[in-house]
Amino acid sequence: MSKPPKAFSVLGIPVHVMANYPSWLIECLQQGRGTHVVTLNAEMTMQAERNSSLATIIQNAELVIPDGAGVVLYLRWLLWQKVQRCPGIELAETLLRELGQQHTSTKVFFYGGAPGVAAKAAEFCQRQIPSLNIAGTHSGYHSPEEEEKLRETLSQLQPQVIFVGLGVPRQELWIAQNRYLCPQAIWIGVGGSFDIWSGTKTRAPAWLGNNNLEWLYRLYQEPWRWRRMLALPEFALKAFVYHLTARGAIS
């Protein structure tokens, strides 16, 4: 097994830097090594600063990828790392394609989203990659009784890749609480990826993403998020101050 990716501190939160995240995750699958993948952006970093439970979960995750532009720019400009942004949705898609190309029997599970969204997202992925073994789906809206049934299903199925789209911080908390059900699985919090795959929403044009402006398109689609977007300038200020008083590399 290749060595763990090197971690750098962004406001006290570890971010792992490596050339090929999907390949590392494939190795984890082959070794049966349970992995929690966190897709970190500026908003989540600010939430972690106020939510100690979320901060602890991120710090204990086996892989924290630079999903957001703010995190990437911090790593580039302040820590001089040659790092590319790795959106969680792209990591998930690449992982699925590699699984399909290898024609493995790896079981994949989709959990989250509004009723029917996870199922539609799974259908889309199945059409794109017919060789995928999608073991099941479950909505993120349910009763406590239905959630207990979901836990029983996961325990019985033992899927090896589990996408959880409940939004931050709910998906991270849920993964941490339920990893024991499938201890050898890769658990990835994918936010609103199910909405994109299902066609419920559209992703920002590539030119916006390439210029670190995907957040602007999200605000256009969901103007109610404007308060949450205030985390971006707050992150920028605190990241600069933190860099002046702390070392970057933590492992």
Side-chain angles (χ1 to χ4, degrees), residues 225-248:
R225 295 176 63 98
W226 72 269
R227 289 185 183 276
R228 296 172 62 177
M229 291 299 178
L230 295 177
L232 302 181
E234 181 186 9
F235 171 85
L237 177 60
K238 291 193 174 185
F240 180 73
V241 173
Y242 185 88
H243 175 67
L244 296 179
T245 59
R247 294 177 60 190

mmCIF file of all heavy atoms in Angstrom, residues 225-248:
data_model
loop_
_atom_site.group_PDB
_atom_site.id
_atom_site.type_symbol
_atom_site.label_atom_id
_atom_site.label_comp_id
_atom_site.label_asym_id
_atom_site.label_seq_id
_atom_site.Cartn_x
_atom_site.Cartn_y
_atom_site.Cartn_z
ATOM 1 N N ARG A 225 -28.687 31.113 0.079
ATOM 2 C CA ARG A 225 -27.409 30.736 0.667
ATOM 3 C C ARG A 225 -26.506 31.936 0.970
ATOM 4 O O ARG A 225 -25.387 31.755 1.450
ATOM 5 C CB ARG A 225 -26.641 29.796 -0.283
ATOM 6 C CG ARG A 225 -27.308 28.452 -0.522
ATOM 7 C CD ARG A 225 -26.512 27.658 -1.546
ATOM 8 N NE ARG A 225 -25.163 27.353 -1.072
ATOM 9 C CZ ARG A 225 -24.810 26.202 -0.524
ATOM 10 N NH1 ARG A 225 -25.695 25.233 -0.386
ATOM 11 N NH2 ARG A 225 -23.578 26.006 -0.122
ATOM 12 N N TRP A 226 -26.989 33.161 0.732
ATOM 13 C CA TRP A 226 -26.086 34.303 0.821
ATOM 14 C C TRP A 226 -25.452 34.442 2.205
ATOM 15 O O TRP A 226 -24.279 34.818 2.330
ATOM 16 C CB TRP A 226 -26.809 35.594 0.435
ATOM 17 C CG TRP A 226 -27.811 36.097 1.448
ATOM 18 C CD1 TRP A 226 -29.134 35.794 1.499
ATOM 19 C CD2 TRP A 226 -27.557 36.989 2.531
ATOM 20 N NE1 TRP A 226 -29.743 36.425 2.555
ATOM 21 C CE2 TRP A 226 -28.807 37.180 3.208
ATOM 22 C CE3 TRP A 226 -26.430 37.652 3.015
ATOM 23 C CZ2 TRP A 226 -28.921 37.998 4.324
ATOM 24 C CZ3 TRP A 226 -26.550 38.466 4.136
ATOM 25 C CH2 TRP A 226 -27.786 38.643 4.776
ATOM 26 N N ARG A 227 -26.200 34.116 3.258
ATOM 27 C CA ARG A 227 -25.616 34.205 4.597
ATOM 28 C C ARG A 227 -24.465 33.221 4.762
ATOM 29 O O ARG A 227 -23.443 33.530 5.372
ATOM 30 C CB ARG A 227 -26.687 33.949 5.661
ATOM 31 C CG ARG A 227 -27.705 35.074 5.800
ATOM 32 C CD ARG A 227 -28.662 34.799 6.953
ATOM 33 N NE ARG A 227 -29.675 35.824 7.060
ATOM 34 C CZ ARG A 227 -29.504 36.977 7.706
ATOM 35 N NH1 ARG A 227 -28.360 37.222 8.315
ATOM 36 N NH2 ARG A 227 -30.471 37.865 7.754
ATOM 37 N N ARG A 228 -24.648 32.023 4.213
ATOM 38 C CA ARG A 228 -23.592 31.019 4.305
ATOM 39 C C ARG A 228 -22.368 31.431 3.510
ATOM 40 O O ARG A 228 -21.230 31.094 3.870
ATOM 41 C CB ARG A 228 -24.118 29.663 3.821
ATOM 42 C CG ARG A 228 -25.237 29.099 4.693
ATOM 43 C CD ARG A 228 -25.875 27.854 4.100
ATOM 44 N NE ARG A 228 -24.929 26.759 3.963
ATOM 45 C CZ ARG A 228 -25.282 25.546 3.517
ATOM 46 N NH1 ARG A 228 -26.540 25.308 3.175
ATOM 47 N NH2 ARG A 228 -24.376 24.591 3.420
ATOM 48 N N MET A 229 -22.582 32.192 2.422
ATOM 49 C CA MET A 229 -21.457 32.637 1.609
ATOM 50 C C MET A 229 -20.576 33.648 2.328
ATOM 51 O O MET A 229 -19.444 33.915 1.907
ATOM 52 C CB MET A 229 -21.965 33.239 0.293
ATOM 53 C CG MET A 229 -22.586 32.234 -0.646
ATOM 54 S SD MET A 229 -21.424 30.940 -1.174
ATOM 55 C CE MET A 229 -22.487 29.926 -2.199
ATOM 56 N N LEU A 230 -21.074 34.227 3.410
ATOM 57 C CA LEU A 230 -20.252 35.157 4.186
ATOM 58 C C LEU A 230 -19.045 34.452 4.783
ATOM 59 O O LEU A 230 -18.086 35.103 5.223
ATOM 60 C CB LEU A 230 -21.091 35.797 5.306
ATOM 61 C CG LEU A 230 -22.237 36.702 4.840
ATOM 62 C CD1 LEU A 230 -23.023 37.212 6.046
ATOM 63 C CD2 LEU A 230 -21.708 37.878 4.023
ATOM 64 N N ALA A 231 -19.078 33.114 4.788
ATOM 65 C CA ALA A 231 -17.941 32.346 5.287
ATOM 66 C C ALA A 231 -16.711 32.542 4.401
ATOM 67 O O ALA A 231 -15.579 32.367 4.862
ATOM 68 C CB ALA A 231 -18.291 30.859 5.359
ATOM 69 N N LEU A 232 -16.910 32.917 3.131
ATOM 70 C CA LEU A 232 -15.783 33.033 2.209
ATOM 71 C C LEU A 232 -14.835 34.174 2.581
ATOM 72 O O LEU A 232 -13.627 33.946 2.730
ATOM 73 C CB LEU A 232 -16.297 33.171 0.771
ATOM 74 C CG LEU A 232 -17.183 32.029 0.261
ATOM 75 C CD1 LEU A 232 -17.604 32.283 -1.176
ATOM 76 C CD2 LEU A 232 -16.455 30.699 0.364
ATOM 77 N N PRO A 233 -15.329 35.419 2.752
ATOM 78 C CA PRO A 233 -14.399 36.472 3.177
ATOM 79 C C PRO A 233 -13.866 36.238 4.586
ATOM 80 O O PRO A 233 -12.711 36.589 4.879
ATOM 81 C CB PRO A 233 -15.239 37.756 3.091
ATOM 82 C CG PRO A 233 -16.658 37.296 3.122
ATOM 83 C CD PRO A 233 -16.668 35.972 2.441
ATOM 84 N N GLU A 234 -14.679 35.642 5.450
ATOM 85 C CA GLU A 234 -14.209 35.327 6.797
ATOM 86 C C GLU A 234 -13.052 34.336 6.738
ATOM 87 O O GLU A 234 -12.039 34.479 7.443
ATOM 88 C CB GLU A 234 -15.361 34.754 7.627
ATOM 89 C CG GLU A 234 -14.963 34.410 9.054
ATOM 90 C CD GLU A 234 -16.083 33.716 9.823
ATOM 91 O OE1 GLU A 234 -17.096 33.346 9.199
ATOM 92 O OE2 GLU A 234 -15.932 33.548 11.049
ATOM 93 N N PHE A 235 -13.185 33.338 5.883
ATOM 94 C CA PHE A 235 -12.127 32.351 5.714
ATOM 95 C C PHE A 235 -10.845 33.015 5.208
ATOM 96 O O PHE A 235 -9.749 32.739 5.704
ATOM 97 C CB PHE A 235 -12.571 31.275 4.728
ATOM 98 C CG PHE A 235 -11.488 30.318 4.315
ATOM 99 C CD1 PHE A 235 -11.192 29.202 5.077
ATOM 100 C CD2 PHE A 235 -10.735 30.551 3.161
ATOM 101 C CE1 PHE A 235 -10.183 28.321 4.709
ATOM 102 C CE2 PHE A 235 -9.722 29.680 2.782
ATOM 103 C CZ PHE A 235 -9.446 28.565 3.560
ATOM 104 N N ALA A 236 -10.978 33.901 4.224
ATOM 105 C CA ALA A 236 -9.810 34.552 3.640
ATOM 106 C C ALA A 236 -9.031 35.334 4.691
ATOM 107 O O ALA A 236 -7.795 35.247 4.764
ATOM 108 C CB ALA A 236 -10.232 35.472 2.499
ATOM 109 N N LEU A 237 -9.744 36.083 5.526
ATOM 110 C CA LEU A 237 -9.083 36.875 6.559
ATOM 111 C C LEU A 237 -8.417 35.990 7.605
ATOM 112 O O LEU A 237 -7.243 36.173 7.947
ATOM 113 C CB LEU A 237 -10.103 37.806 7.229
ATOM 114 C CG LEU A 237 -9.574 38.646 8.397
ATOM 115 C CD1 LEU A 237 -8.438 39.553 7.922
ATOM 116 C CD2 LEU A 237 -10.700 39.468 9.017
ATOM 117 N N LYS A 238 -9.151 34.991 8.093
ATOM 118 C CA LYS A 238 -8.613 34.136 9.140
ATOM 119 C C LYS A 238 -7.474 33.260 8.627
ATOM 120 O O LYS A 238 -6.528 32.973 9.367
ATOM 121 C CB LYS A 238 -9.724 33.273 9.740
ATOM 122 C CG LYS A 238 -10.727 34.082 10.548
ATOM 123 C CD LYS A 238 -11.639 33.204 11.382
ATOM 124 C CE LYS A 238 -12.528 34.056 12.283
ATOM 125 N NZ LYS A 238 -13.349 33.256 13.202
ATOM 126 N N ALA A 239 -7.553 32.841 7.371
ATOM 127 C CA ALA A 239 -6.493 32.022 6.800
ATOM 128 C C ALA A 239 -5.186 32.804 6.761
ATOM 129 O O ALA A 239 -4.119 32.270 7.082
ATOM 130 C CB ALA A 239 -6.878 31.564 5.398
ATOM 131 N N PHE A 240 -5.263 34.076 6.396
ATOM 132 C CA PHE A 240 -4.053 34.893 6.333
ATOM 133 C C PHE A 240 -3.461 35.087 7.724
ATOM 134 O O PHE A 240 -2.248 34.937 7.924
ATOM 135 C CB PHE A 240 -4.370 36.254 5.705
ATOM 136 C CG PHE A 240 -3.178 37.157 5.612
ATOM 137 C CD1 PHE A 240 -2.182 36.907 4.674
ATOM 138 C CD2 PHE A 240 -3.045 38.242 6.457
ATOM 139 C CE1 PHE A 240 -1.068 37.729 4.593
ATOM 140 C CE2 PHE A 240 -1.929 39.061 6.381
ATOM 141 C CZ PHE A 240 -0.941 38.810 5.440
ATOM 142 N N VAL A 241 -4.308 35.400 8.699
ATOM 143 C CA VAL A 241 -3.827 35.608 10.063
ATOM 144 C C VAL A 241 -3.257 34.318 10.629
ATOM 145 O O VAL A 241 -2.190 34.310 11.262
ATOM 146 C CB VAL A 241 -4.972 36.128 10.959
ATOM 147 C CG1 VAL A 241 -4.526 36.171 12.419
ATOM 148 C CG2 VAL A 241 -5.426 37.504 10.496
ATOM 149 N N TYR A 242 -3.935 33.205 10.382
ATOM 150 C CA TYR A 242 -3.477 31.904 10.898
ATOM 151 C C TYR A 242 -2.125 31.548 10.319
ATOM 152 O O TYR A 242 -1.245 31.030 11.024
ATOM 153 C CB TYR A 242 -4.506 30.821 10.563
ATOM 154 C CG TYR A 242 -4.186 29.463 11.148
ATOM 155 C CD1 TYR A 242 -4.631 29.138 12.426
ATOM 156 C CD2 TYR A 242 -3.464 28.530 10.421
ATOM 157 C CE1 TYR A 242 -4.338 27.891 12.967
ATOM 158 C CE2 TYR A 242 -3.164 27.280 10.958
ATOM 159 C CZ TYR A 242 -3.611 26.964 12.228
ATOM 160 O OH TYR A 242 -3.319 25.740 12.773
ATOM 161 N N HIS A 243 -1.944 31.837 9.053
ATOM 162 C CA HIS A 243 -0.682 31.502 8.398
ATOM 163 C C HIS A 243 0.493 32.248 9.033
ATOM 164 O O HIS A 243 1.617 31.724 9.080
ATOM 165 C CB HIS A 243 -0.758 31.840 6.905
ATOM 166 C CG HIS A 243 0.545 31.640 6.185
ATOM 167 N ND1 HIS A 243 1.092 30.397 5.999
ATOM 168 C CD2 HIS A 243 1.407 32.529 5.625
ATOM 169 C CE1 HIS A 243 2.230 30.525 5.343
ATOM 170 N NE2 HIS A 243 2.441 31.806 5.095
ATOM 171 N N LEU A 244 0.235 33.416 9.525
ATOM 172 C CA LEU A 244 1.308 34.203 10.130
ATOM 173 C C LEU A 244 1.747 33.646 11.481
ATOM 174 O O LEU A 244 2.843 33.921 11.954
ATOM 175 C CB LEU A 244 0.856 35.658 10.319
ATOM 176 C CG LEU A 244 0.554 36.434 9.033
ATOM 177 C CD1 LEU A 244 0.096 37.847 9.378
ATOM 178 C CD2 LEU A 244 1.774 36.487 8.120
ATOM 179 N N THR A 245 0.884 32.832 12.102
ATOM 180 C CA THR A 245 1.154 32.389 13.471
ATOM 181 C C THR A 245 1.299 30.886 13.623
ATOM 182 O O THR A 245 1.540 30.394 14.721
ATOM 183 C CB THR A 245 0.030 32.870 14.403
ATOM 184 O OG1 THR A 245 -1.217 32.339 13.939
ATOM 185 C CG2 THR A 245 -0.046 34.371 14.431
ATOM 186 N N ALA A 246 1.161 30.125 12.544
ATOM 187 C CA ALA A 246 1.212 28.675 12.663
ATOM 188 C C ALA A 246 2.016 28.059 11.529
ATOM 189 O O ALA A 246 2.107 28.619 10.440
ATOM 190 C CB ALA A 246 -0.202 28.088 12.671
ATOM 191 N N ARG A 247 2.566 26.911 11.763
ATOM 192 C CA ARG A 247 3.254 26.157 10.730
ATOM 193 C C ARG A 247 2.253 25.490 9.815
ATOM 194 O O ARG A 247 1.175 25.094 10.249
ATOM 195 C CB ARG A 247 4.160 25.098 11.356
ATOM 196 C CG ARG A 247 5.319 25.665 12.153
ATOM 197 C CD ARG A 247 6.109 24.558 12.803
ATOM 198 N NE ARG A 247 6.642 23.657 11.765
ATOM 199 C CZ ARG A 247 7.213 22.493 12.054
ATOM 200 N NH1 ARG A 247 7.331 22.091 13.302
ATOM 201 N NH2 ARG A 247 7.685 21.725 11.085
ATOM 202 N N GLY A 248 2.614 25.334 8.547
ATOM 203 C CA GLY A 248 1.693 24.729 7.593
ATOM 204 C C GLY A 248 1.658 23.228 7.638
ATOM 205 O O GLY A 248 0.597 22.622 7.794
#
